[in-house]
């Protein structure tokens, strides 16, 4: 009986792990398995050290305000979180308003398609995805518009993941991914028919620098749309609770510092853009974007058990549990930011690069 009880207990535990990892899987099935969690380009034995290095940036805040330090800061962050994001959230590392009757995946796709619809591109046009991640938006936009999308990301591991997904989706002929810094993009002037960034330029130490680069590579007359992470008119810097929420979002999402909504259009105009439209896509009648975070709390605890077990077994790198816990705490701050209305991840700005002025033939 003792042997039988031991066997049954072992089988129950093994079956439970199999159910968690292989059957129930992540919050939504996305193609990344829990047993494949890694530290991106970081070797498994160095994940925990890099997690500590990431937090050290916040003990030296002046260093992450400079363009020279930010690429390492952001690259470290995405090495740590890319697999966890993809496993537990999906291939599109951004938010979208909830839509009644639509799944989160459908709402995400519609949010992405709206971006490319706003910039009026045609099939065959060459457009730029500024901060493409593993390419979720890129693939949705390429499939929807049939434009040729070139994405740039600072993280080499994300380049590899994006290319794999592009090929698997049969969109590698329309989607190209380049590793590089969007503050110094390896593209010639006037080379794109349009551009978009979805919750990506928040990583720039100075918004003016990335907007100036986008302006440089766009063809005259082309449009650029961005969904920006900003504080809203409800944010009060004198309110300690507001400050705590915003700083929590910054620490948990590799942000040198969140900008205020009022700075966005001013910055765009400063580099030469004409501002066509500006709107917070999170405002009513849009449904709350943060409900997915609230609904995902059970999934988080399920996933955290999986990560803890895999880490204890040596399958997931040491430090993965710390990263997962950091992201859960950040989700709480994001939820509070959305619920109080002091933060939005989708302040939309649509800009146009002016046409080249023709020389005047007379002064009369």
């Amino acid at each position: 009986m003792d042997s039988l009880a031991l066997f049954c207990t072992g089988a129950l535990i093994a079956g439970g792990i199999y159910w968690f990892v292989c059957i129930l899987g992540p919050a939504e099935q996305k193609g990344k398995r829990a047993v494949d969690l890694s530290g991106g380009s970081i070797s498994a034995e160095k994940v925990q050290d890099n997690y500590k290095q990431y937090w050290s940036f916040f003990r030296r805040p002046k260093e992450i305000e400079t363009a020279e330090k930010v690429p390492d800061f952001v690259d470290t962050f995405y090495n740590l979180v890319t697999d966890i994001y993809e496993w537990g959230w999906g291939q599109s590392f951004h938010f979208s308003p909830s839509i009644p009757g639509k799944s989160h995946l459908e709402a995400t796709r519609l949010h992405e398609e709206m971006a490319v619809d706003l910039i009026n591109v045609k099939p065959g046009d060459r457009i730029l995805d500024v901060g493409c991640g593993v390419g979720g938006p890129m693939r949705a936009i390429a499939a929807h518009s049939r434009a040729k999308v070139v994405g740039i990301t600072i993280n080499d591991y994300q380049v590899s993941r994006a290319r794999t997904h592009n090929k698997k989706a049969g969109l590698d002929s329309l989607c190209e991914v380049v590793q590089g810094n969007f503050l110094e993009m390896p593209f010639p002037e006037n080379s794109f028919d349009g551009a978009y960034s979805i919750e990506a330029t928040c990583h720039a130490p100075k918004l003016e620098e990335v907007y100036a680069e986008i302006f440089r590579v766009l063809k005259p007359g082309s449009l650029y749309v961005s969904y920006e992470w900003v504080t809203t008119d409800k944010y009060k810097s004198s309110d300690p609770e507001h400050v705590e929420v915003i700083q929590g979002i910054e620490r948990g999402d590799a942000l040198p510092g969140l900008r205020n909504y009022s700075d966005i259009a001013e910055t765009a105009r400063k580099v030469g853009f004409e501002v066509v439209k500006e709107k917070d896509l999170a405002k009513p009648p849009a449904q709350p974007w943060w409900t997915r975070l609230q609904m995902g709390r059970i999934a988080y605890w399920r996933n955290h058990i999986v990560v803890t077990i895999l880490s204890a077994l040596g399958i997931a790198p040491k430090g993965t549990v710390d990263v997962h816990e950091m992201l859960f705490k950040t989700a709480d701050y994001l939820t509070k930011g959305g619920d109080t209305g002091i933060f939005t991840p989708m302040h939309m700005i649509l800009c146009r690069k002016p046409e080249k002025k023709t020389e005047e033939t007379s002064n009369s």
Side-chain angles (χ1 to χ4, degrees):
M1 287 295 292
D2 289 341
S3 298
L4 180 60
L6 185 62
F7 173 79
C8 291
T9 300
L12 183 63
I13 293 172
I17 293 174
Y18 177 81
W19 180 75
F20 264 122
V21 177
C22 300
I23 305 300
L24 192 57
E28 295 181 39
Q29 298 296 329
K30 301 297 189 305
K32 168 62 70 171
R33 300 186 305 161
V35 292
D36 294 328
L37 293 178
S38 72
S41 299
I42 302 170
S43 60
E45 65 272 12
K46 293 184 178 179
V47 168
Q48 191 162 54
D49 288 343
N50 275 262
Y51 172 74
K52 293 176 181 177
Q53 178 191 347
Y54 171 74
W55 279 105
S56 75
F57 281 108
F58 291 101
R59 290 193 288 272
R60 304 189 302 274
K62 292 298 179 185
E63 292 192 13
I64 61 173
E65 294 175 4
T66 63
E68 305 83 57
K69 296 292 182 180
V70 166
D72 287 342
F73 171 60
V74 175
D75 188 40
T76 297
F77 174 76
Y78 278 112
N79 273 323
L80 293 170
V81 306
T82 289
D83 275 359
I84 294 177
Y85 273 2
E86 195 175 332
W87 173 55
W89 188 262
Q91 295 172 18
S92 294
F93 298 173
H94 65 81
F95 297 104
S96 60
S98 298
I99 301 176
K102 301 288 185 182
S103 69
H104 293 307
L105 286 176
E106 290 173 314
T108 296
R109 177 180 54 78
L110 291 171
H111 195 55
E112 294 163 349
E113 290 176 354
M114 181 175 67
V116 74
D117 289 343
L118 283 167
I119 60 175
N120 297 329
V121 297
K122 307 181 298 295
D125 280 353
R126 187 168 181 259
I127 63 176
L128 176 64
D129 181 331
V130 184
C132 65
V134 298
M138 170 192 296
R139 287 182 288 280
I141 283 170
H144 176 67
S145 68
R146 305 312 294 179
K148 295 181 179 179
V149 187
V150 179
I152 185 168
T153 172
I154 192 70
N155 186 262
D156 193 56
Y157 180 66
Q158 290 188 338
V159 172
S160 174
R161 292 296 298 165
R163 287 174 178 168
T164 297
H165 289 310
N166 292 346
K167 187 173 183 179
K168 189 179 294 186
L171 291 167
D172 46 331
S173 63
L174 291 177
C175 298
E176 178 187 349
V177 191
V178 175
Q179 192 277 330
N181 183 352
F182 61 28
L183 300 176
E184 300 174 324
M185 291 193 280
F187 309 121
E189 294 181 5
N190 308 322
S191 55
F192 288 97
D193 299 298
Y196 65 88
S197 54
I198 299 179
E199 303 182 25
T201 56
C202 51
H203 292 299
K206 294 180 180 179
L207 190 62
E208 181 180 344
E209 294 178 350
V210 64
Y211 275 13
E213 270 294 272
I214 295 165
F215 185 89
R216 180 183 68 81
V217 302
L218 276 178
K219 294 177 181 177
S222 297
L223 292 165
Y224 163 60
V225 66
S226 184
Y227 298 165
E228 294 287 348
W229 281 33
V230 296
T231 56
T232 71
D233 56 353
K234 293 183 178 181
Y235 173 71
K236 306 299 179 187
S237 59
S238 58
D239 187 325
E241 291 185 7
H242 286 194
V243 172
E244 180 187 359
V245 168
I246 297 305
Q247 288 182 347
I249 293 171
E250 291 168 349
R251 288 193 300 269
D253 286 293
L255 306 180
L258 275 169
R259 301 169 183 93
N260 186 263
Y261 77 101
S262 61
D263 299 330
I264 307 304
E266 180 183 350
T267 302
R269 292 189 181 100
K270 188 175 181 180
V271 304
F273 278 120
E274 298 170 350
V275 176
V276 178
K277 188 177 182 181
E278 188 177 17
K279 180 183 180 182
D280 182 359
L281 300 177
K283 286 186 174 181
Q287 298 295 306
W289 55 266
W290 61 92
T291 53
R292 185 178 177 189
L293 292 171
Q294 293 173 320
M295 293 169 63
R297 292 184 71 87
I298 294 176
Y300 162 77
W301 286 111
R302 179 195 66 211
N303 290 355
H304 199 64
I305 292 170
V306 173
V307 169
T308 302
I309 292 172
L310 294 176
S311 183
L313 295 174
I315 297 172
K318 190 176 181 181
T320 305
V321 175
D322 295 326
V323 176
H324 195 258
E325 187 173 354
M326 174 189 76
L327 296 179
F328 177 64
K329 290 178 179 177
T330 306
D332 265 353
Y333 285 121
L334 287 163
T335 300
K336 290 176 183 176
D339 201 32
T340 58
I342 65 172
F343 164 77
T344 176
M346 53 192 73
H347 183 88
M348 185 276 290
I349 185 165
L350 178 64
C351 307
R352 177 183 287 109
K353 181 174 179 176
E355 297 279 2
K356 289 182 179 179
K357 293 181 180 179
T358 57
E359 291 186 37
E360 293 184 317
T361 55
S362 73
N363 293 324
S364 56

